[in-house]
């Protein structure tokens, strides 16, 4: 049985390690999320069926996702911001409410100047103002917010998964 440790993202138990073959499969999929299982199998020394099973297990365990990553500007979302939030009392209800908002792409509990950091993606400045002013700031427990509006996206990558 694999040893279990706390998952820093969820606070729940999760397998403490992914084996070298699964890491190699992840690397193959990070290079091309549509790469055929037969090609991945050839690269990592497994059959197509074994790769298919491994990928499904990694997906089921929440180790990875296979998604299309877009540049928000090219699909109609012209304003992004990181919002630092200070909360009075329990963070969990505020974090849950933020996680339920479609505009919130990233919600993390932090140590430091803010209790929560939230990345929001909006259609325009009016949408950003409404999201922060009328939806985030009005949540019970939210004491204050500070917004960091993105002016230009210089790097967005998800290749860190196996290094």
């Amino acid at each position: 049985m694999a040893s279990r440790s706390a998952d820093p993202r969820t606070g729940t138990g999760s397998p403490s390690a992914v084996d070298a073959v699964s890491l190699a499969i992840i690397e193959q999929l990070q290079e091309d999320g549509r790469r055929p299982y037969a090609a991945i199998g050839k690269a990592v020394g497994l059959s197509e069926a074994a790769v298919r099973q491994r990928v499904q297990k990694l997906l089921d365990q929440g180790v990875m996702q296979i998604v299309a990553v877009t540049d928000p500007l090219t699909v109609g979302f012209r304003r992004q911001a990181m919002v630092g939030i200070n909360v009075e009392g329990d963070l969990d209800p505020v974090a849950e409410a933020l996680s339920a908002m479609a505009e919130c792409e990233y919600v993390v509990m932090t140590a430091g100047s803010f209790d929560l950091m939230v990345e929001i993606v909006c259609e325009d400045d009016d949408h950003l103002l409404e999201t922060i002013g009328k939806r985030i700031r009005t949540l019970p427990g939210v004491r204050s917010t500070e917004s960091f509006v993105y002016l230009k996206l210089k790097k967005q990558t998800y290749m860190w998964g196996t290094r």
Side-chain angles (χ1 to χ4, degrees), residues 6 8 13 18 26 30 33 36 38-39 49 58 65 75-76 78 85 88 93 108 116 118 122 131 136 139 161:
V18 175
I26 292 168
Q30 283 180 320
L58 291 166
Q65 298 175 2
V75 292
R78 306 221 177 279
I85 302 171
E88 291 183 28
V108 63
L116 299 166
V118 180
C122 296
T131 301
I136 293 175
L139 289 172

Side-chain angles (χ1 to χ4, degrees), residues 18-27 40 44-46 51 54 58:
V18 175
D19 70 18
V21 174
S22 290
L23 288 174
I25 291 169
I26 292 168
E27 286 177 350
I40 294 170
V44 302
L46 292 177
V51 170
R54 289 247 189 172
L58 291 166

